[in-house]
Each structure stands twice: as C-alpha cells, then as structure tokens.
Amino acid sequence: MRTIDSFDVKGRRVLVRADLNVPLDGGTITDDGRIRASLPTIQNLVERGARVVVCAHLGRPKGKPVPEFSLRPVAGRLSELLGQPVAFAEDVVGKSAQETVEGLGDGQVALLENLRYEAGEDSKDDAVRGEFAGRLAALAELYVGDGFGAVHRRHASVYDVPKILPSAAGGLVLAEVEVLKRLTDQPERPYAVVLGGAKVSDKLGVIANLLGKVDRLLVGGGMAYTFLAAQGHEVGGSLLQADQLDTVRGFLEEADKRGVELLLPVDVLAAEGFASDAAFEAVDATSIPADRQGLDIGPRTRELFAAKLADARTVFWNGPMGVFEFEAFSGGTRAVAEALIESEAYTVVGGGDSAAAVRGLGLPEDGFSHISTGGGASLEYLEGKTLPGLAALEA
Ligand SMILES: Nc1ncnc2c1ncn2[C@@H]1O[C@H](COP(=O)(O)OP(=O)(O)O)[C@@H](O)[C@H]1O
Ligand SMILES: O=C(OP(=O)(O)O)[C@H](O)COP(=O)(O)O
C-alpha cells in the first residue's frame, strides 16, 4: 500500500477518512481512544503543510441528521489534543463543508459532520454511493484511508473515494494490519478467539470462517444468547438474533466436526431490566427466567473462560462480556481482560467498546500485546476476507 510519505501534500487539500466513532454519554466523550489513535496521521499532514479535511462516522444515524450523533463534540476534543483549532463543518458535502474547506490555510484542520447523515455513504446501490463519493472527493485533491475500524465497510468514504482520488494508507491502518498479520500467519497455538458485544448479526457472520482457524471459540456478551436459544434454552428478554438460530446450530455442529472447542456461558447474571440498578441474580445459562435478561456472564463462566485462556498462546478478543457500562454487569468483561493480562500469550483486544472497557475499568493498556481500534474490521481480517477499505488502497 502507498504511504502518505509518497505524497507532496504542501498546500494541498487532503481528505482523511478516520474512525472517530467514540462512545458518548449525552454530549460527553467517555473514551477518546479512537481520536488519539488518529492523531499521528493528522499531525504528520499538518506538519507538512497540508490542508487537512477529516471525515468520519459516529453511530448509525441511517442516512439523515440525528443530533445525538453529531461529530461536534469530537471536533472539540480533536482540537484539544492537536493543540490547534479544528474548523467544524455543519454538513458533510453541502455549503458549510465547502466553505469550511475553502477557508483552510496550510497546516489547518477541518472536520466534516457525520458521514452517515448522508444516505449515499452506506447505500447498497453502487450508483447512489458513487454519486455521494464524487461530491465528497470534490472537497479534496488527495485521500488518506486511516479509519481502520471501518475498513470492513463497503461505504463511499472507505471504498469509493479512494478510486477517485490519488490515495494512500495512513499510519494507523498500516500499524493495525501489521499486528493482525501476526495472527493470520501461523499463530502460536492454542489460538483462542473471544467474542461478545452487541453487534450480533454482524459478528455471527465471522464465525463460519473462524472455525477453520482457531482452536477455541469463547462466546459471551450479547452474542451468547442466540447460541443458548439455538440449543433450545429460554433466554427471556436477552439480546437474540431470532433469524439466525439455524445458522448458529450449524456453527455448533461444525465446531464439533472440526474439533474446535466452542464455549458458551454456563451461568449468566439475569436482570429484571436494562438498567444500572436493575435487580439481578446469577442463574444457570440453561434456565434464564422468561421475564429476565442476561446482562453479563456469571461467576462460574468467568472461571471457565479464564481457565481456557490461561494456557492459550494467541488470543484475540472482541466484544464485552456484558453491559460493562453498568458497574454491576462489568465483572465478566473485567475477568476476561484480567485473564488476558495475566496470560503469556500474544493478546490482541479489538473494538471501540472493548478497548474503551479496558481503559474504563482502569486496567493497564500495556497488559495486552496490542489494543486495536477495530472490532468487526479485525475479525473480518482474521477470517481471511478481503476488506473493501484495504483493497481500495491497494488498487
Ligand atoms: N448481554 C448483553 N446484552 C446487551 N448488550 C450487551 C451485552 N453484552 C455486551 N453488550 C454491549 O455490547 C456493546 C459493545 O458491543 P460491540 O459494539 O459489538 O463491541 P466493540 O465496539 O468492542 O466491537 C456494549 O455497549 C455492551 O453494553
Ligand atoms: O465501532 C466500530 O466497529 P466495532 O464496534 O466493531 O469496533 C466502527 O466504527 C464501525 O462502525 P459500524 O459497525 O457501525 O460500521
């Protein structure tokens, strides 16, 4: 992949696709890890006199402006971290964006509003996406792909714009790929992958291919309940992908055939509601009351998972084991994190919320071999898939 050093950027408008999808509580950024990870590329371009136009998504506003998903708070934090103003455009490719970009001097930085306010960004229709990509590309002369967490998305800003403008990979993307290569090129075994989180439909898709690569697959978090339901158990109001039960049964059979240890929770914290102060109790995973929902793995599962990670030589973990944002349901995530910190394996944790959880729980970041900014992106890379945002930079 071409690097940004191969561009003469002085005085030129450079569009940087970053992943600034940070967790927010109201308008407050609760973890700025992805903003910090994006700094080196932006700083490099600033120092070399580029006019830097940063674009990114936040959440999933589905093609229209939704105020709670505005990138404005991110512009403020980016400005603090860079130590210079960041001009914020109120729209993505409209009048405000055009004026903001035109107003940039050499070494100055702008951030466009949330790309996903525009339906063209993630449209499945190539023509619709292409039209939007053309308008985005028109704001700049060069493109830098540095949003590693979004490189698995065939979106306009990730996949189509680099076909229009001269393009390069940013330092974050290059560094992330370097680490993940170590996991795909002959990982030391036993190789374990831990999956959790809430993006169940997205991440169930990676399991079929991972079963051919790993020795152990530990499933917790919101992912686990579709498996438990597939085995015929009641999961109450827990997160469930009801249309995937047959697929998941197929995974269970496939794991068995291949000799992959697929581990599910044996107990869960079953809560009366989705709230930080909801009453809860630890119950067997096979007997979740119909009026309860599983918000964390239980104590016996924590021990089981820790034991299965203790002698692994390579571990990739994506997705919290529970709703770690609520203290009462953060214990499972903490237990897995601590097991990885104690282990001597090559350990990679990936994903916006997983990385935020590690930091938010006060755990040492240097206890892991690598903390990746991408969850879904890393998983799809580990599957061996061609990622649209990387392929576009290679072309
Ligand atoms: N049992 C559960 N029920 C509902 N949500 C859950 C559960 N376990 C984890 N989560 C949620 O999953 C979210 C993170 O999922 P995801 O976005 O897939 O992870 P990442 O950003 O690390 O890739 C967190 O907000 C967490 O609260
Ligand atoms: O948060 C992200 O992915 P992750 O939760 O898998 O780490 C990325 O910003 C991609 O977001 P998306 O899953 O809404 O496309």
Side-chain angles (χ1 to χ4, degrees):
M1 278 186 277
R2 183 202 279 266
T3 69
I4 56 175
D5 297 330
S6 60
F7 286 149
D8 177 11
V9 296
K10 181 148 178 57
R12 301 178 85 190
R13 283 172 282 120
V14 182
L15 185 70
V16 178
R17 198 338 177 163
D19 183 349
L20 304 177
N21 190 21
V22 290
L24 286 168
D25 187 2
T28 306
I29 296 165
T30 53
D31 179 76
D32 63 4
R34 279 182 167 153
I35 309 177
R36 288 177 184 276
S38 304
L39 290 177
T41 294
I42 297 172
Q43 274 162 338
N44 173 303
L45 293 167
V46 163
E47 280 160 19
R48 292 162 60 207
R51 302 173 178 206
V52 186
V53 183
V54 183
C55 65
H57 73 279
L58 185 77
R60 294 176 171 175
K62 303 202 170 94
K64 55 176 190 327
V66 178
E68 68 180 281
F69 293 125
S70 173
L71 276 170
R72 186 180 279 285
V74 172
R77 185 73 189 123
L78 180 60
S79 165
E80 281 169 20
L81 292 168
L82 283 172
Q84 70 179 80
V86 171
F88 183 66
E90 311 271 344
D91 56 28
V92 188
V93 288
K95 197 160 170 270
S96 175
Q98 285 162 20
E99 286 174 4
T100 304
V101 171
E102 273 160 28
L104 285 179
D106 294 0
Q108 294 186 338
V109 179
L111 175 65
L112 305 179
E113 186 49 287
N114 190 343
L115 287 160
R116 293 185 185 171
Y117 279 8
E118 291 284 338
E121 167 67 357
D122 58 5
S123 172
K124 297 256 181 305
D125 183 328
D126 289 352
V128 175
R129 242 185 23 250
E131 195 269 337
F132 170 66
R135 291 203 286 152
L136 191 57
L139 294 173
E141 297 149 272
L142 301 167
Y143 172 90
V144 175
D146 208 30
F148 177 73
V151 289
H152 58 318
R153 302 294 182 210
R154 188 181 287 263
H155 291 176
S157 66
V158 176
Y159 179 70
D160 301 275
V161 176
K163 293 183 179 166
I164 303 172
L165 294 175
S167 306
L172 177 62
V173 159
L174 293 171
E176 296 269 24
V177 169
E178 194 61 37
V179 169
L180 292 176
K181 269 202 189 126
R182 179 157 171 186
L183 271 65
T184 48
D185 301 348
Q186 301 195 321
E188 258 194 81
R189 294 180 181 277
Y191 175 17
V193 166
V194 189
L195 272 185
K199 291 180 180 171
V200 184
S201 59
D202 279 10
K203 291 172 187 173
L204 277 175
V206 306
I207 292 178
N209 285 329
L210 283 182
L211 288 175
K213 305 195 184 294
V214 304
D215 304 302
R216 291 176 194 156
L217 185 62
L218 285 63
V219 181
M223 293 285 291
Y225 302 94
T226 305
F227 283 81
L228 294 170
Q231 290 178 325
H233 306 303
E234 170 67 63
V235 296
S238 310
L239 217 55
L240 174 68
Q241 198 69 38
D243 57 347
Q244 297 288 312
L245 294 175
D246 282 339
T247 312
V248 166
R249 276 182 209 112
F251 294 155
L252 291 164
E253 279 168 27
E254 184 68 19
D256 206 34
K257 242 191 268 166
R258 287 181 176 271
V260 174
E261 263 191 283
L262 200 158
L263 294 141
L264 298 174
V266 291
D267 60 348
V268 306
L269 299 189
E272 276 178 5
F274 189 88
S276 58
D277 58 354
F280 67 89
E281 61 182 330
V283 300
D284 282 353
T286 53
S287 49
I288 300 174
D291 60 351
R292 298 287 182 101
Q293 50 187 291
L295 296 188
D296 197 4
I297 55 173
R300 286 193 293 124
T301 308
R302 294 172 200 177
E303 272 178 36
L304 170 71
F305 282 13
K308 292 292 176 183
L309 294 170
D311 67 339
R313 297 299 306 160
T314 307
V315 183
F316 178 82
W317 169 32
N318 167 248
M321 293 293 102
V323 184
F324 73 92
E325 296 91 337
F326 300 154
E327 217 215 312
F329 306 107
S330 64
T333 302
R334 178 183 289 280
V336 165
E338 284 174 347
L340 263 60
I341 290 168
E342 276 164 33
S343 121
E344 302 204 331
Y346 188 70
T347 53
V348 180
V349 46
D353 287 302
S354 306
V358 165
R359 291 185 283 261
L361 294 173
L363 297 161
E365 287 182 67
D366 62 4
F368 300 85
S369 307
H370 179 67
I371 299 187
S372 168
T373 53
S378 296
L379 283 169
E380 290 196 25
Y381 188 94
L382 297 182
E383 269 188 273
K385 270 205 181 148
T386 302
L387 304 186
L390 298 181
L393 296 175
E394 275 159 10

